[in-house]
Amino acid sequence: MLARDFFAYCTTLKLLELKAIGELSRVRHLGEGETLYSTGDAGDSLFIINRGVVEVIQPAAQNSPATYLSRGDVLGDVETLSGLPRKQIARTCEAVSVQCFQRKDFAELIKRVPSFFHFLSGQLALRLSQARDLAMTQSHCLELSGNLSHFDLITVYQTISNSSQTGQLRISNTGGELVSAFFFEQGQPRWGQFEHLTGEEAFWQLFVNENLTGTFAFSTTELPEKDWIQSERITKNASEMLINALQGRDEFAELKQKFADGAATLERNKPSLTWPAGAPPESLTVAEQVWNFAGKGPVTVEQIFQQCAVCELKVYQVVDELVQSRHFTWSYQATSAKVA
């Protein structure tokens, strides 16, 4: 299967090839609101996002919505490979780190890491295929469907929000079971559910999870009843919600690596919960839920998540805070006890 992003591709490289990638590229750090490139600039470099979210705007297309790219995505490659000037504006939505590959180094890159250009070709072909397939399905009655191994969920979401259509997005797992459904009103997500979560928490969980598999379908005809999900109405703008979710992806990936041992359990190390003064006050409610649940015995982070009404990222953030403040300690002994 085609590597979906740069970091997945890098896991396939030999040590000498990884070293060449590092020697023949450089890292650029930009603050929030900075411009990576503008229309008319020379297309002399392509970029791969290491961290953060970048907004790409096409001024030549009237009322064209922005596209949002995040960790592992490639941008600026079309102009760099073709030698054409930039046709878009790329601007940061937060602090961003990008890997910069200059066209003058391409000859050496081809010699030392030939598969790098196979990777770029695959990414271009994937984007072209998605753009073609999604364009063919768009009409006054928008109907979208496909497999998530071939379509990027972010692209699907932005296509729906940009269409200003009213309809329902349904996502099923590889076994055909429905795991998520979101209702859109004129392109804006208004109600939703993902597994046991609803509303904005369900939305966050949908996009911080980069390993979602299965199929999706968006329909403007088979609409749910008005009160199909018992959750608060989602009021945030579609683009604002997507940016916020993408911003949480990097932190979630880091925390998952930090808690890499899924078999490890958490045990209380203090008699009572005292939320640290420097910790986010808005996380206290979640911390109390986590603390009370852990009082039943050793638990894994996954077990805690299944008992909380917030997305996995917020659970990991709270657990990390409680471990650092020594409220919890890790136990690496297998336990057969199952917390009810």
Side-chain angles (χ1 to χ4, degrees):
M1 182 183 291
L2 176 68
R4 296 302 295 271
D5 65 41
F6 176 66
F7 300 100
Y9 158 71
C10 284
T11 62
T12 68
L13 296 179
K14 298 175 182 176
L15 187 59
L16 285 176
E17 292 174 321
L18 284 171
K19 183 178 179 182
I21 290 284
E23 291 175 350
L24 295 170
S25 66
R26 64 188 179 92
V27 177
R28 282 186 60 185
H29 300 286
L30 299 94
E32 181 181 354
E34 291 193 48
T35 300
L36 189 58
Y37 56 76
S38 298
T39 52
D41 288 354
D44 55 4
S45 302
L46 65 84
F47 307 92
I48 298 173
I49 302 174
N50 294 326
R51 185 180 181 88
V53 180
V54 174
E55 176 185 46
V56 180
I57 305 167
Q58 193 160 340
Q62 285 191 340
N63 301 320
S64 177
T67 297
Y68 298 98
L69 304 176
S70 60
R71 176 178 165 83
D73 286 331
V74 183
L75 69 158
D77 48 343
V78 174
E79 300 91 345
T80 307
L81 293 169
S82 65
L84 297 171
R86 307 288 189 195
K87 294 183 179 180
Q88 301 168 318
I89 299 171
R91 186 169 52 215
T92 63
C93 298
E94 59 176 338
V96 165
S97 167
V98 295
Q99 202 79 19
C100 174
F101 295 83
Q102 295 184 295
R103 190 169 57 196
K104 66 180 180 64
D105 295 321
F106 282 3
E108 186 65 16
L109 263 173
I110 291 175
K111 187 194 317 184
R112 297 176 62 182
V113 196
S115 66
F116 180 68
F117 289 88
H118 288 289
F119 164 74
L120 289 180
S121 298
Q123 293 296 302
L124 280 168
L126 181 64
R127 295 207 306 270
L128 178 62
S129 174
Q130 289 190 1
R132 180 196 62 205
D133 292 345
L134 288 172
M136 289 175 64
T137 61
Q138 293 185 66
S139 65
H140 293 295
C141 182
L142 185 63
E143 303 286 339
L144 301 175
S145 64
N147 195 299
L148 290 173
S149 63
H150 303 134
F151 285 89
D152 177 29
L153 187 58
I154 295 173
T155 302
V156 173
Y157 173 77
Q158 290 188 116
T159 300
I160 295 170
S161 62
N162 295 341
S163 73
S164 298
Q165 295 285 328
T166 295
Q168 181 182 193
L169 173 66
R170 296 167 65 88
I171 299 172
S172 301
N173 61 22
T174 53
E177 299 172 317
L178 184 68
V179 294
S180 178
F182 278 84
F183 177 67
F184 288 78
E185 190 175 71
Q186 296 182 346
Q188 300 294 317
R190 288 298 176 237
W191 291 275
Q193 183 167 354
F194 181 41
E195 296 180 343
H196 67 288
L197 302 179
T198 61
E200 291 184 17
E201 296 300 331
F203 184 92
W204 270 73
Q205 184 64 21
L206 190 64
F207 286 100
V208 298
N209 185 351
E210 297 185 86
N211 301 314
L212 190 64
T213 59
T215 59
F216 70 90
F218 178 77
S219 174
T220 61
T221 54
E222 298 180 11
L223 300 184
E225 297 294 329
K226 185 176 181 181
D227 298 325
W228 69 299
I229 288 180
Q230 299 299 317
S231 69
E232 292 185 7
R233 179 182 173 90
I234 299 172
T235 57
K236 290 184 180 177
N237 175 271
S239 294
E240 178 188 357
M241 288 188 66
L242 182 60
I243 292 172
N244 290 340
L246 293 179
Q247 287 172 339
R249 272 189 169 187
D250 288 345
E251 183 181 359
F252 184 52
E254 291 173 2
L255 288 172
K256 285 188 75 174
Q257 283 189 332
K258 196 172 182 180
F259 303 163
D261 190 346
T265 58
L266 291 160
E267 296 182 8
R268 284 187 179 185
N269 191 46
K270 290 187 177 182
S272 60
L273 173 65
T274 304
W275 193 233
E282 65 273 13
S283 299
L284 175 57
T285 302
V286 179
E288 290 172 340
Q289 292 180 42
V290 171
W291 180 255
N292 291 335
F293 182 62
K296 300 176 183 179
V299 292
T300 64
V301 180
E302 174 62 24
Q303 288 172 327
I304 292 172
F305 166 60
Q306 293 299 329
Q307 296 295 319
C308 291
V310 297
C311 73
E312 211 168 355
L313 170 61
K314 294 181 180 179
V315 171
Y316 271 74
Q317 288 172 330
V318 164
V319 169
D320 187 47
E321 193 70 53
L322 292 175
V323 170
Q324 290 188 54
S325 60
R326 300 187 182 279
H327 283 81
F328 283 155
T329 56
W330 289 105
S331 173
Y332 295 93
Q333 293 182 352
T335 176
S336 58
K338 197 170 185 179
V339 179

